[in-house]
Amino acid sequence: TLLSSLGLGTTLTFASSHWLLAWMGLEINTLAIIPLMAQHHHPRAVEATTKYFLTQATAAAMILFASTTNAWITGAWDMNSLSNPIASAMILAALALKIGLAPMHFWMPEVMQGLDLLTGLVLSTWQKLAPLALIIQTAQATDPLLLTVLGMMCTLMGGWGGLNQTQLRKILAYSSIAHMGWMVIVLQYAPQLTLSALLTYIFMTSAAFLTLKASSATKIGTLATIWSKSPILATTTALVLLSLGGLPPLTGFMPKWLILQELAKQSLPLVATVMALAALLSLYFYLRLCYAMTLTISPNTTTSTTPWRVQATQASFPLALATVMTLGLLPVT
């Protein structure tokens, strides 16, 4: 029931052109994922769920308020009739809070840290779709400066925030914030690039989360012991992380390359430069993970306790598929 409601909420939002219906889809979506988040009954999970619920409820209330304001002024509930600048700015702020764009990103790492890896995967991929679809639909009505500032802040915050982290889920949350910034920055110039960036982001994040699930790793220290259990998985994971950082022979380079090219075409060289430098910050913490995984191996001694070799219960096909997509899709460009 919960999973179908999760799908239904997002699909409702996709299919709607009326603000009330879109709001209802977002609400169904939020209410469906809350029991999935709290299902482990761990205090951290419950705390994360409460934080998530409060932020999402606030954002939904703001969307309702902004759309009511817009309907009050223009007399139309249609999504395309966002003529009032205050209402459009409010709606953008609410949707940014929903998907965790900086400076409304502070809930994201905390919530991710309390969750199971698979629920974290759902939160960082599926839960982004509905609000992002609304942002894309209303992008033409919003101020370009606002979107540019949001995108640049996201990439910078996502880069800076992840530097000191030792928890993998927090690192992936910050990486998610940075990727959202790349999507938002190019939204008004080439929405199709936003969609391609979203698609590659979903593949890369799925590969990362499924790998961590396969090795049940939640800290950097655990990564250092993966190579003894599954050397090939350690190699592909290092490549997946570099793909998330956006290095050339891998898929992750494609959206960054096209977005920078588009920004340069729109004569925004300064913005493109800031984005490229912010990508270096993210690359640093991916490289830290790669270093912990592949360069601290034998004959060096590892300080962390070596885990037991247990039989994996996870299906390997989704992981293999996501990894192949993450490593080999660059020729699509």
Side-chain angles (χ1 to χ4, degrees), residues 34 38 71 86 104 189 236 272 287 298 302 323:
I34 280 181
I86 301 174
M104 285 81 95
Y189 312 113
T236 55
L287 280 175
S298 159
T302 50
T323 306

Side-chain angles (χ1 to χ4, degrees), residues 207-208 211 226 230-243 250 290 293-294 319-320 323-324 326-327:
T211 310
I226 288 184
S230 41
I232 298 176
L233 190 64
T235 317
T236 55
T237 311
L239 288 172
V240 164
L241 288 167
L242 292 178
S243 179
L250 309 162
C290 290
M293 283 191 72
T294 53
L319 171 59
T323 306
V324 168
T326 306
L327 302 185

Side-chain angles (χ1 to χ4, degrees), residues 11 17 35 42 48 87 161 171 197 211 236 310:
T11 321
S17 59
H42 189 277
I171 287 184
T211 310
T236 55
V310 286

Side-chain angles (χ1 to χ4, degrees), residues 92 96 101-105 142-158 177-178 180-182 184-189 263 268 271 274-275 278:
L92 183 67
L101 292 176
M104 285 81 95
H105 66 284
T142 44
D143 185 16
L145 179 67
L146 191 60
L147 279 176
T148 310
V149 168
L150 265 180
M152 282 165 73
M153 277 192 73
C154 274
T155 41
L156 285 167
M157 289 294 170
I177 295 165
M180 287 293 141
W182 281 92
V184 168
I185 196 108
V186 79
L187 189 51
Q188 283 192 326
Y189 312 113
L263 287 175
L268 296 168
V271 176
V274 172
M275 296 294 283

